[in-house]
Structure formats: structure tokens, C-alpha cells
């Protein structure tokens, strides 16, 4: 782990080995339909966006079906805001990691 975190090896092969060594368990599992949708998504950003939309859809369905109880709309909207703040943080981190620092400022 330290080898990867220090940036000594960021090859695709090493990254795959690193991720397989630390599986992320999903409560309730992942359906075959969800696995297919994730495989069809192009790139990691698309996969994150797809999962984000699934979470948003889950909140909407639970609210409409009454599965969340009698929660006021203001509290439910706060759930959406919290999720969107997390997605904004993800996109900000992605931009920082992918956009190179301007050369004149790096000296």
C-alpha cells in the first residue's frame, strides 16, 4: 500500500492488484443488471455518475413509496444536497489529479 501511495508504481497492472486486494463489499450485493450497466459505462467517471444516479433514484423511490416514513420534504432535500456536495468533492479531486499544474507556476 505504501508503495502505491508514495507514487512509486502507478501502473495499471499494479493498480488492479491493489484494488483486488481490498474488495469493496456491497450490502445486499450487486445484481447482474447492475454489473452489466457498470461494464457498459465508459471510464471511471461514468461509473461514479451511474452509482450517484442510482442513489438519487433510490431516495426518490423510497420517499414516494412511503418507505422513509413521514419525513418532511426539507429533510429529504438535504439528503440530495449532501449527496451532490459529495459528488462535487469527487469532481474537484478528479480535476486536481488530472489537470497539470501550469508550468510557469511550478518553477
Amino acid at each position: 500500500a505504501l508503495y502505491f501511495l508514495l507514487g512509486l508504481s502507478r501502473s495499471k497492472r499494479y493498480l488492479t492488484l491493489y484494488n483486488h486486494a481490498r474488495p469493496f463489499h456491497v450490502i445486499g450485493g450487486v445484481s447482474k443488471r447492475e454489473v452489466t450497466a457498470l461494464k457498459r459505462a465508459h471510464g471511471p467517471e461514468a461509473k461514479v455518475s451511474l452509482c450517484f444516479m442510482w442513489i438519487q433514484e433510490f431516495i426518490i423511490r423510497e420517499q414516494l413509496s412511503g418507505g422513509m416514513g413521514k419525513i418532511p420534504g426539507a429533510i429529504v432535500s438535504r439528503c440530495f444536497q449532501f449527496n451532490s456536495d459529495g459528488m462535487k468533492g469527487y469532481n474537484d479531486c478528479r480535476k486536481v489529479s488530472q489537470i497539470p499544474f501550469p508550468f510557469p507556476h511550478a518553477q
Side-chain angles (χ1 to χ4, degrees):
L2 189 60
Y3 190 68
F4 178 76
L5 293 174
L6 293 176
L8 299 175
S9 176
R10 295 202 179 230
S11 69
K12 188 161 183 104
R13 180 184 168 279
Y14 188 78
L15 180 61
T16 301
L17 291 173
Y18 180 82
N19 288 336
H20 281 290
R22 291 152 189 82
F24 185 74
H25 301 288
V26 178
I27 297 173
V30 182
S31 70
K32 290 182 181 180
R33 194 174 124 222
E34 292 168 338
V35 170
T36 303
L38 286 168
K39 286 181 180 178
R40 285 186 191 160
H42 298 288
E45 294 88 7
K47 292 175 183 179
V48 170
S49 295
L50 181 61
C51 292
F52 174 74
M53 295 306 291
W54 285 340
I55 292 169
Q56 298 286 73
E57 181 184 5
F58 175 75
I59 293 170
I60 291 168
R61 286 182 187 220
E62 286 297 309
Q63 176 65 16
L64 291 176
S65 70
M68 298 174 85
K70 295 188 177 192
I71 297 176
I75 294 176
V76 176
S77 71
R78 191 78 168 133
C79 292
F80 285 107
Q81 182 181 1
F82 189 77
N83 285 336
S84 67
D85 288 346
M87 192 65 167
K88 182 185 178 309
Y90 165 77
N91 284 317
D92 289 346
C93 290
R94 186 177 56 83
K95 283 190 282 186
V96 167
S97 70
Q98 292 179 353
I99 298 173
F101 195 70
F103 181 73
H105 296 291
Q107 296 182 2

